[in-house]
Amino acid sequence: MTVPSTDAPTKARGSDEVARVLARIWADLLDLDPDAIDGNASFLRLGGDSVLAVRMSALIRKKLSVELALSDVTVEITLSALTDIVTRRSRDGATARALPVEIEHRADPDAPFPLMPLQQGYFVGQHDGWELSYDSAHFYGDVGLRDMDSDEAEETLADALHRLAQHQPTLRGRIAPDGMQYVLPPDAPGAIPQPRVYDLREAGDEEIRTTLEAVRQEMAATGPNPLTGPGLDVRLSLLPGGRGRLHTAMSLISMDGWSATVLNRELLTLAADWNAVLAPLEVDFGDYVTSVGRLRQTDLWAADRDWWFDRLDDAPLPPALPLRADPRDVAPTLMDTREARLDSARCAALRERCAAHDVTPSAAMLTAFAVVLARWSGHRRLLLNTLQLNRLPLHPDIHRTIGAFSSTMLVPAALDVGRTFAALASAQQRTFAEHAAHNLISGVEVSRELARRRGTPRPVAPVVFQSTLGMDAAIGERQARSAGPLGELDFVDFYHQLRTPQVALEARFWEMGEEMVFAFSLVAELFEPQEVDAAFRELVELIEALADGPGWDREVELPGALEPDRDSGLSLGGPAAADVDEEAGPPRDELEQRIALLWEEILDVPVLDRATPFFALGGDSLLAVRSLARLAKDVGVAVQVRRFLDAPTVAGLAAAIREQGRDSTG
């Protein structure tokens, strides 16, 4: 069943009426007086950004029954230009649809549904499928509490979490071993996450310190696993004097950064008021996933795929950051962190200066990160991976729904010498917008194709940029600081840890109240600590210069080399493992024939050559996990994904099975 719009379909409207509706939408999103909005002022100049632009598209769909193309809603658009586009779309009616799918309710909300592409990457990573893998991909954070009603806090948290899990189905989600996900009914055993409480109100300082350190270490190093239980782990420490800590670990397979913000807000809303009722959701994450899955059968999806694939042969390499260890040999437990904050005054000044230069804060931060990377790696053309919220505006409730909506997007950075930072940021924003206009295909899928062309199982873009700046405005309200019996949240006293597979270094930017927080999360074993410190210090100084003003008009100092020196030693984006010399031909024995038949069943293609790679036959990492699980049952030998990737052929897998079988018996 198609989910209807909350507004009845409308007939074509005149431009004056469209302008009035759009002005009200902008006013609501940007906290402005609709009568004071100049039709020639851009969305960006008025305080908008790319995150808010996504929500704007959803509201236009709801209020005007008009869908916009991804390329229509740029942050630079003016109200007058948007009015013209929406008026034309309204007159064209259904022939001008921008997204060729409607969101539909699944017939059975309890039925399994597929993983999104980035979820697949995290799922495979938890099976040790990649370099720099972990047994869980998750985010952990704990925040200080004060002025608690400690006698009521435990019951309050349990009640709020129970009501939230009934409201948000994803909190009851699980993932099956075959890589499908499903939602448990609220009354199923173990469906609702249960908080754990540590009562340290009568404890001494040493016991408090050691207990909190143990909780933090456990939750940071071992995240919740939706294959075996809830994807959310919430705990509460009760401390003397009405103080406490709220500990939260969230599986990245289950929820993204936007969802974490929604979860925190709704959990605190329910904790603050026993009688609070959240507005019902008309759709859930499963509805979205199955609806978006139909995009793959559309011409628009194929056009976006072709746009990306046509550019891959000229894609740059990742930053050739010097390493002290080969990623193949590193088994990290935690990611290291460098963190800094921009106070509220400087943060406000930065936003104003970005708007004055027609650049979003996120684009400015992406450019600053690219400049630091170029100086560190010694070359000016580099490939970055960016984490995108990427909630397609199929329904107005999408922005209130918890789920793993995020995707990745590869973004090239080509920094020209002799340019000011303002010029570099403007160029980078144009590049970003051009690539984001083709985001119907996931960056995970694009990365797979790039890896196939480069003949490597290694991550093709292990340096990541993530910005959630503007999320507070997009969701519609600031993070609450008061949570009833849980007390007041002290965001100055905040600790966090991130673990994501295939990532060597990630720069993250987010809002904390009126401040901007930015951090490096990195695999410490790969880098010299003093080089990381120097790079992060350089980033801090550059951002402060942008907030204060002088950084925009200075000519940016950059290395002369455009491309990395491939003979410079160990670096990210280094060569793949040596090719395995396997003789081509049909499967040679019973084991190879068994593998070939299994692949034919899973991939639905003939497997005639023992030396043809699994991925060249149309396989992907998720299908590799499934095939290895099936083989383990059939032959009694479990081959690790990482070992399979060293030689992903019928011959290579057969050799791995024989080798592992000999090891287990020898």
Side-chain angles (χ1 to χ4, degrees):
M1 178 181 70
T2 299
V3 178
S5 168
T6 54
D7 288 89
T10 58
K11 62 182 180 180
R13 289 180 165 98
S15 61
D16 289 344
E17 184 181 358
V18 169
R20 285 193 295 273
V21 175
L22 292 177
R24 288 197 296 271
I25 291 174
W26 281 30
D28 290 342
L29 291 174
L30 304 174
D31 194 22
L32 300 172
D33 179 353
D35 295 328
I37 296 178
D38 185 340
N40 294 318
S42 71
F43 189 65
L44 173 59
R45 286 274 178 144
L46 294 173
D49 56 30
S50 56
V51 179
L52 279 173
V54 174
R55 189 169 176 208
M56 183 220 303
S57 293
L59 290 172
I60 290 172
R61 175 177 180 156
K62 175 182 179 182
K63 296 180 180 296
L64 292 169
S65 298
V66 171
E67 293 188 57
L68 299 175
L70 298 171
S71 57
D72 287 338
V73 189
T74 64
V75 292
E76 296 89 357
I77 199 166
T78 65
L79 186 65
S80 296
L82 183 60
T83 298
D84 290 342
I85 292 173
V86 173
T87 301
R88 290 198 305 272
R89 295 285 191 273
S90 178
R91 289 171 182 161
D92 292 341
T95 61
R97 294 186 54 79
L99 290 172
V101 296
E102 287 279 357
I103 196 162
E104 297 179 358
H105 283 306
R106 290 168 294 141
D108 179 4
D110 297 328
F113 56 98
L115 296 175
M116 295 281 277
L118 187 56
Q119 288 182 290
Q120 294 179 20
Y122 291 145
F123 176 79
V124 175
Q126 289 194 181
H127 287 78
D128 195 32
W130 311 113
E131 292 177 3
L132 311 177
S133 290
Y134 307 89
D135 57 7
S136 63
H138 73 281
F139 177 82
Y140 168 75
D142 60 62
V143 63
L145 303 170
R146 61 176 184 269
D147 300 328
M148 296 175 62
D149 182 344
S150 300
D151 293 331
E152 298 287 340
E154 179 175 355
E155 184 179 358
T156 295
L157 180 60
D159 174 77
L161 191 55
H162 187 273
R163 287 189 287 157
L164 183 58
Q166 290 181 313
H167 173 68
Q168 294 280 2
T170 297
L171 299 188
R172 309 189 307 272
R174 300 292 189 273
I175 297 176
D178 65 354
M180 295 291 284
Q181 56 189 322
Y182 59 97
V183 175
L184 293 172
D187 57 353
I192 305 291
Q194 299 296 321
R196 190 184 308 180
V197 177
Y198 305 90
D199 192 342
L200 301 171
R201 286 176 288 179
E202 305 298 327
D205 291 345
E206 181 62 20
E207 182 183 354
I208 290 173
R209 184 186 65 79
T210 56
T211 301
L212 291 181
E213 284 184 358
V215 172
R216 179 176 287 175
Q217 176 66 24
E218 177 193 350
M219 296 184 71
T222 306
N225 186 356
L227 277 76
T228 57
L232 175 67
D233 183 3
V234 179
R235 307 186 192 183
L236 179 66
S237 296
L238 304 176
L239 305 177
R243 295 179 299 111
R245 296 202 74 81
L246 181 62
H247 312 262
T248 308
M250 307 174 192
S251 169
L252 300 181
I253 305 181
S254 300
M255 62 192 78
D256 55 15
W258 184 299
S259 297
T261 301
V262 173
L263 184 147
N264 288 331
R265 288 166 186 260
E266 294 190 340
L267 182 64
L268 296 178
T269 295
L270 295 173
D273 183 357
W274 293 86
N275 297 312
V277 177
L278 301 172
L281 296 169
E282 295 182 6
V283 295
D284 64 25
F285 181 56
D287 296 335
Y288 179 89
V289 172
T290 53
S291 299
V292 168
R294 298 197 306 276
L295 281 172
R296 297 180 66 87
Q297 282 73 54
T298 67
D299 292 340
L300 279 182
W301 185 89
D304 275 7
R305 177 201 60 201
D306 294 344
W307 186 92
W308 280 98
F309 286 13
D310 287 346
R311 288 159 175 78
L312 288 184
D313 289 339
D314 190 46
L317 293 164
L321 302 178
L323 305 181
R324 62 174 179 171
D326 192 315
R328 295 186 191 90
D329 303 326
V330 169
T333 301
L334 292 176
M335 299 185 84
D336 203 5
T337 302
R338 307 287 192 279
E339 181 182 313
R341 295 191 179 208
L342 208 61
D343 64 35
S344 57
R346 266 181 160 165
C347 189
L350 177 63
R351 286 194 294 267
E352 291 175 2
R353 297 187 192 282
C354 286
H357 288 88
D358 289 322
V359 172
T360 66
S362 292
M365 297 304 98
L366 174 58
T367 307
F369 183 44
V371 167
V372 170
L373 290 172
R375 293 170 177 169
W376 188 0
S377 62
H379 63 102
R380 294 181 285 108
R381 186 171 180 264
L382 32 87
L383 183 66
L384 300 180
N385 209 345
T386 65
L387 193 64
Q388 301 297 306
L389 300 175
N390 204 35
R391 296 184 176 215
L392 297 180
L394 299 179
H395 191 279
D397 282 350
I398 293 300
H399 79 284
R400 296 194 298 115
T401 303
I402 290 177
F405 293 86
S406 286
S407 181
T408 58
M409 184 175 75
L410 300 182
V411 177
L415 305 171
D416 295 331
V417 295
R419 306 285 295 277
T420 65
F421 184 89
L424 292 176
S426 294
Q428 191 62 56
Q429 180 163 287
R430 288 192 296 272
T431 298
F432 184 91
E434 179 187 21
H435 287 67
H438 302 277
N439 72 342
L440 294 186
I441 181 172
S442 162
V444 174
E445 296 165 292
V446 175
S447 296
R448 287 174 186 157
E449 175 62 16
L450 181 57
R452 187 191 68 79
R453 295 190 188 190
R454 291 181 174 173
T456 178
R458 311 192 75 174
V460 295
V463 179
V464 178
F465 171 84
Q466 177 186 174
S467 170
T468 57
L469 299 176
M471 186 182 296
D472 283 341
I475 290 178
E477 58 186 15
R478 289 285 181 182
Q479 170 73 60
R481 291 182 176 270
S482 179
L486 293 180
E488 300 288 323
L489 281 76
D490 182 5
F491 291 118
V492 175
D493 185 12
F494 177 69
Y495 173 86
H496 58 93
Q497 275 281 350
L498 176 70
R499 299 208 315 180
T500 52
Q502 299 191 80
V503 174
L505 169 66
E506 180 168 340
R508 297 183 289 127
F509 298 79
W510 71 97
E511 296 160 326
M512 187 74 75
E514 300 295 329
E515 297 182 330
M516 183 180 82
V517 188
F518 51 103
F520 276 0
S521 293
L522 62 135
V523 178
E525 295 89 336
L526 294 178
F527 305 101
E528 295 293 346
Q530 63 270 23
E531 292 188 2
V532 176
D533 292 339
F536 190 70
R537 185 166 56 250
E538 197 171 325
L539 180 64
V540 172
E541 292 171 354
L542 179 52
I543 292 173
E544 289 177 345
L546 295 175
D548 296 340
W552 291 93
D553 298 321
R554 293 175 182 163
E555 183 177 308
V556 178
E557 182 180 343
L558 292 166
L562 185 63
E563 304 290 351
D565 179 3
R566 302 308 297 161
D567 297 323
S568 59
L570 193 62
S571 65
L572 290 177
D579 291 335
V580 178
D581 185 16
E582 294 166 349
E583 186 176 342
R588 292 181 173 177
D589 56 23
E590 182 181 352
L591 178 56
E592 290 190 5
Q593 290 170 357
R594 181 179 294 188
I595 294 171
L597 288 174
L598 174 61
W599 285 13
E600 288 183 353
E601 178 186 341
I602 289 177
L603 301 177
D604 195 27
V605 295
V607 180
L608 305 176
D609 190 333
R610 63 192 297 271
T612 301
F614 181 80
F615 302 101
L617 294 167
D620 57 36
S621 54
L622 180 60
L623 292 176
V625 170
R626 289 177 179 170
S627 70
L628 293 176
R630 285 275 303 277
L631 271 176
K633 291 181 179 179
D634 290 348
V635 303
V637 177
V639 175
Q640 294 298 312
V641 179
R642 186 89 65 92
R643 175 65 178 84
F644 167 70
L645 292 177
D646 288 338
T649 63
V650 168
L653 181 53
I657 291 173
R658 295 188 189 98
E659 176 185 328
Q660 195 151 323
R662 287 194 299 270
D663 290 344
S664 63
T665 59

